[in-house]
Protein backbone atom coordinates (compact mmCIF):
# COMPACT_ATOMS: atom_id res chain seq x y z
CA UNK A 1 0.00 0.00 0.00
CA UNK A 2 2.81 2.40 0.90
CA UNK A 3 5.33 1.33 -1.77
CA UNK A 4 6.93 4.37 -3.35
CA UNK A 5 8.87 4.89 -6.58
CA UNK A 6 11.74 7.27 -5.95
CA UNK A 7 15.09 8.38 -7.35
CA UNK A 8 18.15 6.30 -6.37
CA UNK A 9 19.64 7.11 -2.96
CA UNK A 10 22.18 9.91 -3.14
CA UNK A 11 20.67 11.55 -6.23
CA UNK A 12 20.83 15.31 -6.50
CA UNK A 13 17.63 17.19 -5.56
CA UNK A 14 15.50 17.69 -8.66
CA UNK A 15 16.66 14.48 -10.37
CA UNK A 16 13.99 13.16 -12.73
CA UNK A 17 14.09 9.36 -12.99
CA UNK A 18 11.95 7.27 -15.33
CA UNK A 19 11.06 4.06 -13.55
CA UNK A 20 11.04 0.65 -15.21
CA UNK A 21 7.29 0.11 -15.19
CA UNK A 22 6.43 3.65 -16.34
CA UNK A 23 4.52 3.91 -19.62
CA UNK A 24 5.85 5.61 -22.74
CA UNK A 25 4.54 9.22 -22.84
CA UNK A 26 1.70 10.40 -25.05
CA UNK A 27 1.19 14.16 -25.47
CA UNK A 28 -2.22 15.68 -26.09
CA UNK A 29 -2.49 19.44 -26.69
CA UNK A 30 -5.54 21.71 -26.49
CA UNK A 31 -5.10 25.39 -27.32
CA UNK A 32 -8.12 27.70 -27.13
CA UNK A 33 -9.48 31.19 -26.81
CA UNK A 34 -13.00 32.61 -27.01
CA UNK A 35 -12.98 32.40 -30.82
CA UNK A 36 -10.34 29.79 -31.69
CA UNK A 37 -9.80 26.15 -30.77
CA UNK A 38 -7.15 23.59 -31.69
CA UNK A 39 -6.71 20.03 -30.45
CA UNK A 40 -4.10 17.50 -31.54
CA UNK A 41 -1.77 14.72 -30.46
CA UNK A 42 1.91 15.64 -30.54
CA UNK A 43 4.77 13.33 -31.34
CA UNK A 44 7.10 13.31 -28.30
CA UNK A 45 10.00 13.85 -30.70
CA UNK A 46 8.50 17.26 -31.62
CA UNK A 47 8.21 18.46 -28.02
CA UNK A 48 10.25 21.63 -28.80
CA UNK A 49 7.25 22.90 -30.78
CA UNK A 50 5.55 23.56 -27.45
CA UNK A 51 7.72 26.69 -27.20
CA UNK A 52 5.33 28.39 -29.64
CA UNK A 53 2.47 28.11 -27.14
CA UNK A 54 4.16 30.16 -24.43
CA UNK A 55 3.82 33.56 -26.12
CA UNK A 56 0.23 33.20 -27.36
CA UNK A 57 -2.75 35.02 -25.88
CA UNK A 58 -4.69 31.75 -25.83
CA UNK A 59 -4.84 29.13 -23.06
CA UNK A 60 -2.85 25.93 -23.67
CA UNK A 61 -3.33 22.58 -21.97
CA UNK A 62 -0.49 20.11 -22.45
CA UNK A 63 -1.50 16.71 -21.12
CA UNK A 64 1.25 14.08 -20.81
CA UNK A 65 0.07 10.52 -20.16
CA UNK A 66 2.88 8.18 -19.21
CA UNK A 67 6.08 8.98 -17.29
CA UNK A 68 8.52 6.64 -19.01
CA UNK A 69 10.81 9.27 -20.59
CA UNK A 70 12.81 11.40 -18.14
CA UNK A 71 14.43 13.45 -20.92
CA UNK A 72 11.03 14.40 -22.35
CA UNK A 73 9.76 15.48 -18.92
CA UNK A 74 12.88 17.58 -18.34
CA UNK A 75 12.51 19.20 -21.79
CA UNK A 76 8.91 20.17 -21.05
CA UNK A 77 10.09 21.53 -17.71
CA UNK A 78 12.69 23.73 -19.43
CA UNK A 79 10.19 25.03 -21.98
CA UNK A 80 7.66 26.12 -19.32
CA UNK A 81 10.19 26.95 -16.55
CA UNK A 82 8.92 24.23 -14.24
CA UNK A 83 10.93 23.82 -11.05
CA UNK A 84 13.14 20.67 -10.97
CA UNK A 85 11.93 19.74 -7.47
CA UNK A 86 8.34 19.76 -8.70
CA UNK A 87 9.28 17.62 -11.70
CA UNK A 88 10.95 15.18 -9.32
CA UNK A 89 7.67 14.93 -7.39
CA UNK A 90 5.88 14.14 -10.65
CA UNK A 91 7.82 10.91 -11.20
CA UNK A 92 8.38 9.93 -7.54
CA UNK A 93 5.07 8.23 -6.81
CA UNK A 94 3.09 8.51 -4.63
CA UNK A 95 3.29 12.01 -3.20
CA UNK A 96 0.88 13.47 -0.69
CA UNK A 97 -1.77 15.68 -2.36
CA UNK A 98 -0.51 19.25 -2.05
CA UNK A 99 -0.20 22.68 -3.66
CA UNK A 100 3.09 24.56 -3.91
CA UNK A 101 3.68 28.11 -5.12
CA UNK A 102 6.74 28.68 -7.32
CA UNK A 103 6.22 32.41 -7.91
CA UNK A 104 4.72 32.47 -11.42
CA UNK A 105 3.67 28.80 -11.36
CA UNK A 106 1.52 26.77 -8.97
CA UNK A 107 2.22 23.04 -8.74
CA UNK A 108 -0.51 20.67 -7.55
CA UNK A 109 -0.44 16.95 -6.79
CA UNK A 110 -3.77 15.18 -6.72
CA UNK A 111 -5.12 11.65 -7.17
CA UNK A 112 -7.68 10.27 -9.59
CA UNK A 113 -9.67 7.21 -8.48
CA UNK A 114 -10.83 4.45 -10.82
CA UNK A 115 -12.30 0.99 -10.30
CA UNK A 116 -13.24 -1.97 -12.45
CA UNK A 117 -14.92 -3.88 -9.64
CA UNK A 118 -15.39 -3.05 -5.97
CA UNK A 119 -13.61 -3.46 -3.61
CA UNK A 120 -10.49 -3.04 -5.80
CA UNK A 121 -9.77 0.69 -6.22
CA UNK A 122 -6.85 2.24 -8.08
CA UNK A 123 -5.45 5.67 -7.20
CA UNK A 124 -3.44 7.40 -9.95
CA UNK A 125 -1.27 10.43 -9.18
CA UNK A 126 -1.81 13.53 -11.31
CA UNK A 127 0.69 16.40 -11.34
CA UNK A 128 -0.73 19.74 -12.53
CA UNK A 129 1.29 22.89 -13.27
CA UNK A 130 -0.66 26.14 -13.56
CA UNK A 131 1.02 29.03 -15.36
CA UNK A 132 -0.24 32.44 -16.55
CA UNK A 133 -1.70 31.03 -19.76
CA UNK A 134 -1.04 27.29 -19.65
CA UNK A 135 -1.69 24.02 -17.85
CA UNK A 136 0.79 21.14 -17.97
CA UNK A 137 -0.56 17.90 -16.51
CA UNK A 138 1.33 14.64 -16.00
CA UNK A 139 -0.49 11.33 -15.58
CA UNK A 140 0.86 7.90 -14.70
CA UNK A 141 -1.38 5.95 -17.09
CA UNK A 142 -3.44 6.33 -20.23
CA UNK A 143 -7.05 7.41 -19.83
CA UNK A 144 -8.59 9.78 -17.30
CA UNK A 145 -11.78 11.45 -16.03
CA UNK A 146 -11.21 14.68 -17.98
CA UNK A 147 -13.22 13.88 -21.10
CA UNK A 148 -16.18 16.01 -19.97
CA UNK A 149 -13.82 18.96 -19.54
CA UNK A 150 -12.50 18.44 -23.08
CA UNK A 151 -16.05 18.27 -24.46
CA UNK A 152 -16.91 21.60 -22.80
CA UNK A 153 -13.82 23.22 -24.29
CA UNK A 154 -14.74 22.01 -27.78
CA UNK A 155 -18.05 23.91 -27.73
CA UNK A 156 -17.87 27.29 -29.49
CA UNK A 157 -20.03 29.08 -26.92
CA UNK A 158 -18.59 27.31 -23.91
CA UNK A 159 -18.27 29.55 -20.81
CA UNK A 160 -15.05 27.67 -19.98
CA UNK A 161 -13.33 29.28 -22.97
CA UNK A 162 -14.11 32.75 -21.65
CA UNK A 163 -11.91 32.19 -18.60
CA UNK A 164 -8.19 31.77 -18.16
CA UNK A 165 -5.92 28.87 -17.27
CA UNK A 166 -6.88 29.14 -13.59
CA UNK A 167 -10.47 28.16 -14.43
CA UNK A 168 -9.19 25.16 -16.39
CA UNK A 169 -7.15 24.09 -13.33
CA UNK A 170 -10.32 24.31 -11.22
CA UNK A 171 -12.24 22.29 -13.84
CA UNK A 172 -9.65 19.49 -13.69
CA UNK A 173 -9.74 19.37 -9.88
CA UNK A 174 -13.53 19.40 -9.93
CA UNK A 175 -13.64 16.52 -12.45
CA UNK A 176 -11.32 14.47 -10.22
CA UNK A 177 -13.44 15.07 -7.10
CA UNK A 178 -16.73 14.44 -8.92
CA UNK A 179 -15.36 11.04 -9.99
CA UNK A 180 -15.10 10.09 -6.29
CA UNK A 181 -18.87 9.99 -5.87
CA UNK A 182 -19.74 7.05 -8.18
CA UNK A 183 -17.00 4.99 -6.51
CA UNK A 184 -18.28 5.90 -3.03
CA UNK A 185 -21.79 4.90 -4.10
CA UNK A 186 -20.53 1.49 -5.25
CA UNK A 187 -18.70 1.06 -1.94
CA UNK A 188 -21.94 1.86 -0.08
CA UNK A 189 -23.82 -0.83 -2.02
CA UNK A 190 -21.00 -3.30 -1.41
CA UNK A 191 -21.07 -2.61 2.35
CA UNK A 192 -24.83 -3.24 2.42
CA UNK A 193 -24.28 -6.61 0.75
CA UNK A 194 -21.54 -7.43 3.26
CA UNK A 195 -23.85 -6.48 6.13
CA UNK A 196 -26.44 -9.00 4.97
CA UNK A 197 -23.76 -11.67 4.53
CA UNK A 198 -22.30 -11.01 7.99
CA UNK A 199 -25.72 -11.42 9.63
CA UNK A 200 -26.91 -14.40 7.59
CA UNK A 201 -23.68 -16.35 7.02
CA UNK A 202 -20.80 -15.20 9.25
CA UNK A 203 -18.08 -17.25 7.51
CA UNK A 204 -14.33 -16.75 7.07
CA UNK A 205 -14.74 -15.63 3.47
CA UNK A 206 -17.10 -12.89 4.66
CA UNK A 207 -14.67 -11.56 7.26
CA UNK A 208 -11.94 -11.63 4.61
CA UNK A 209 -14.06 -9.35 2.43
CA UNK A 210 -14.61 -7.02 5.40
CA UNK A 211 -10.86 -6.81 6.00
CA UNK A 212 -10.27 -6.04 2.34
CA UNK A 213 -12.82 -3.22 2.15
CA UNK A 214 -11.39 -1.71 5.36
CA UNK A 215 -7.98 -1.71 3.70
CA UNK A 216 -9.36 0.02 0.60
CA UNK A 217 -11.15 2.60 2.73
CA UNK A 218 -7.87 3.36 4.50
CA UNK A 219 -6.24 3.94 1.11
CA UNK A 220 -9.10 6.24 0.12
CA UNK A 221 -8.68 8.19 3.35
CA UNK A 222 -5.01 8.78 2.58
CA UNK A 223 -6.04 9.98 -0.88
CA UNK A 224 -9.11 12.14 -0.24
CA UNK A 225 -8.31 13.78 3.11
CA UNK A 226 -5.24 15.75 1.89
CA UNK A 227 -7.23 16.80 -1.19
CA UNK A 228 -9.28 19.12 1.00
CA UNK A 229 -6.08 20.64 2.36
CA UNK A 230 -4.83 21.16 -1.21
CA UNK A 231 -7.90 23.21 -2.16
CA UNK A 232 -7.76 25.09 1.15
CA UNK A 233 -4.16 26.07 0.35
CA UNK A 234 -5.20 27.41 -3.05
CA UNK A 235 -7.93 29.49 -1.41
CA UNK A 236 -5.70 30.73 1.39
CA UNK A 237 -2.51 31.59 -0.48
CA UNK A 238 -2.32 35.05 -2.00
CA UNK A 239 -1.08 34.16 -5.48
CA UNK A 240 -2.02 36.06 -8.60
CA UNK A 241 -2.81 33.00 -10.70
CA UNK A 242 -6.21 32.14 -9.21
CA UNK A 243 -8.49 35.12 -9.78
CA UNK A 244 -11.29 36.03 -7.38
CA UNK A 245 -13.92 34.80 -9.82
CA UNK A 246 -12.26 31.38 -9.91
CA UNK A 247 -11.87 31.20 -6.13
CA UNK A 248 -15.66 31.14 -5.85
CA UNK A 249 -15.65 27.91 -7.87
CA UNK A 250 -12.81 26.55 -5.75
CA UNK A 251 -14.93 27.06 -2.63
CA UNK A 252 -17.64 24.92 -4.22
CA UNK A 253 -14.98 22.31 -5.04
CA UNK A 254 -13.91 22.40 -1.39
CA UNK A 255 -17.50 21.70 -0.29
CA UNK A 256 -17.72 18.69 -2.62
CA UNK A 257 -14.49 17.32 -1.21
CA UNK A 258 -15.74 17.79 2.36
CA UNK A 259 -18.94 15.89 1.48
CA UNK A 260 -16.91 13.02 0.04
CA UNK A 261 -14.85 12.88 3.24
CA UNK A 262 -18.03 12.74 5.37
CA UNK A 263 -19.34 9.82 3.31
CA UNK A 264 -15.98 8.08 3.53
CA UNK A 265 -15.90 8.41 7.33
CA UNK A 266 -19.42 6.97 7.52
CA UNK A 267 -18.31 3.97 5.48
CA UNK A 268 -15.27 3.42 7.70
CA UNK A 269 -17.56 3.35 10.72
CA UNK A 270 -19.83 0.87 8.94
CA UNK A 271 -16.85 -1.38 8.15
CA UNK A 272 -15.83 -1.32 11.81
CA UNK A 273 -19.37 -2.21 12.88
CA UNK A 274 -19.34 -5.13 10.44
CA UNK A 275 -16.30 -6.50 12.23
CA UNK A 276 -18.12 -6.29 15.56
CA UNK A 277 -21.26 -7.84 14.05
CA UNK A 278 -19.21 -10.74 12.67
CA UNK A 279 -17.55 -11.42 16.03
CA UNK A 280 -20.90 -11.21 17.78
CA UNK A 281 -22.41 -13.65 15.27
CA UNK A 282 -19.55 -16.10 15.76
CA UNK A 283 -19.91 -15.88 19.54
CA UNK A 284 -23.65 -16.48 19.33
CA UNK A 285 -23.08 -19.48 17.10
CA UNK A 286 -20.48 -20.81 19.54
CA UNK A 287 -22.90 -20.33 22.45
CA UNK A 288 -25.56 -22.35 20.64
CA UNK A 289 -23.07 -25.16 20.07
CA UNK A 290 -22.02 -25.09 23.73
CA UNK A 291 -25.65 -25.24 24.83
CA UNK A 292 -26.25 -28.26 22.61
CA UNK A 293 -23.14 -30.00 23.93
CA UNK A 294 -24.18 -29.22 27.51
CA UNK A 295 -27.60 -30.75 26.95
CA UNK A 296 -26.06 -33.86 25.38
CA UNK A 297 -23.53 -34.26 28.18
CA UNK A 298 -26.29 -33.80 30.79
CA UNK A 299 -28.43 -36.50 29.18
Amino acid sequence: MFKKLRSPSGSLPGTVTAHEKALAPKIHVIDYSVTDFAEYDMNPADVNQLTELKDRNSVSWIDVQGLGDATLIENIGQIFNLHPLALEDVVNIPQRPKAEDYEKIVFMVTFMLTTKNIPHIEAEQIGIFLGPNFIVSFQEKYGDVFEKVRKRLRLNNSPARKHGADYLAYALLDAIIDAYYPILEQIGEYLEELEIAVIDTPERSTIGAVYQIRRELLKLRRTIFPQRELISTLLRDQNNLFKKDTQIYLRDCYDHCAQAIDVLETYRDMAGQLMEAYLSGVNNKMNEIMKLLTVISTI
Side-chain angles (χ1 to χ4, degrees):
M1 180 185 294
F2 301 103
K3 185 176 180 181
K4 184 172 182 176
L5 301 177
R6 60 175 72 248
S7 301
S9 299
S11 300
L12 291 173
T15 301
V16 178
T17 304
H19 301 283
E20 295 180 359
K21 297 182 180 180
L23 301 176
K26 295 181 180 180
I27 304 177
H28 186 76
V29 179
I30 292 181
D31 184 74
Y32 64 91
S33 63
V34 176
T35 56
D36 300 319
F37 179 84
E39 181 177 11
Y40 53 91
D41 293 320
M42 174 174 283
N43 189 328
D46 300 328
V47 68
N48 290 330
Q49 295 180 7
L50 293 175
T51 308
E52 302 173 1
L53 301 177
K54 289 182 61 178
D55 300 327
R56 293 184 181 179
N57 294 325
S58 57
V59 176
S60 302
W61 175 18
I62 298 88
D63 184 34
V64 182
Q65 299 185 13
L67 306 175
D69 190 337
T71 302
L72 173 68
I73 295 172
E74 289 175 339
N75 289 340
I76 294 176
Q78 292 175 359
I79 292 172
F80 293 98
N81 299 319
L82 308 180
H83 199 283
L85 289 176
L87 289 175
E88 184 181 18
D89 287 345
V90 166
V91 296
N92 290 350
I93 297 168
Q95 298 289 324
R96 191 173 188 272
K98 60 181 179 179
E100 296 179 343
D101 192 350
Y102 291 95
E103 295 183 0
K104 296 182 179 180
I105 292 176
V106 173
F107 172 57
M108 293 163 279
V109 174
T110 182
F111 279 85
M112 176 177 65
L113 300 180
T114 56
T115 182
K116 293 181 180 178
N117 59 316
I118 297 295
H120 302 289
I121 302 169
E122 295 184 5
E124 177 185 348
Q125 179 174 305
I126 310 291
I128 301 175
F129 292 87
L130 167 63
N133 65 330
F134 66 83
I135 291 284
V136 180
S137 57
F138 291 94
Q139 305 184 39
E140 293 181 63
K141 305 173 184 177
Y142 308 141
D144 52 41
V145 297
F146 299 144
E147 191 56 33
K148 290 184 178 180
V149 178
R150 296 186 182 98
K151 287 181 179 179
R152 292 203 299 267
L153 293 176
R154 291 173 187 139
L155 298 175
N156 290 330
N157 297 323
S158 173
R161 286 168 56 175
K162 298 177 183 179
H163 298 276
D166 58 328
Y167 184 86
L168 177 57
Y170 146 75
L172 298 181
L173 291 174
D174 187 57
I176 289 171
I177 293 173
D178 284 347
Y180 293 166
Y181 286 97
I183 293 176
L184 290 173
E185 288 176 3
Q186 294 179 56
I187 292 175
E189 295 172 357
Y190 183 78
L191 286 172
E192 290 177 359
E193 294 174 0
L194 276 182
E195 185 177 22
I196 296 173
V198 165
I199 295 173
D200 294 344
T201 55
E203 301 174 350
R204 288 191 176 182
S205 59
T206 305
I207 195 60
V210 174
Y211 271 116
Q212 187 173 17
I213 193 63
R214 287 188 67 187
R215 186 181 179 89
E216 294 297 322
L217 289 172
L218 176 60
K219 182 166 64 176
L220 288 182
R221 191 180 191 280
R222 294 178 59 245
T223 300
I224 299 178
F225 255 73
Q227 186 85 8
R228 180 173 59 178
E229 183 181 337
L230 181 158
I231 301 172
S232 178
T233 301
L234 296 177
L235 289 169
R236 184 174 62 250
D237 290 353
Q238 299 297 320
N239 59 64
N240 297 322
L241 293 176
F242 279 99
K243 303 179 181 65
K244 290 184 178 180
D245 292 343
T246 306
Q247 288 184 347
I248 296 174
Y249 294 101
L250 280 177
R251 287 202 296 269
D252 182 66
C253 197
Y254 180 91
D255 291 340
H256 291 172
C257 190
Q259 290 173 2
I261 290 173
D262 290 342
V263 174
L264 177 60
E265 287 299 285
T266 301
Y267 289 165
R268 292 184 71 232
D269 291 340
M270 288 177 62
Q273 291 169 5
L274 287 178
M275 291 289 297
E276 296 175 1
Y278 171 81
L279 295 175
S280 176
V282 170
N283 289 333
N284 290 336
K285 189 174 182 180
M286 182 64 67
N287 289 337
E288 292 296 327
I289 294 173
M290 293 302 297
K291 288 180 181 178
L292 178 61
L293 292 176
T294 302
V295 170
I296 294 174
S297 63
T298 302
I299 293 173

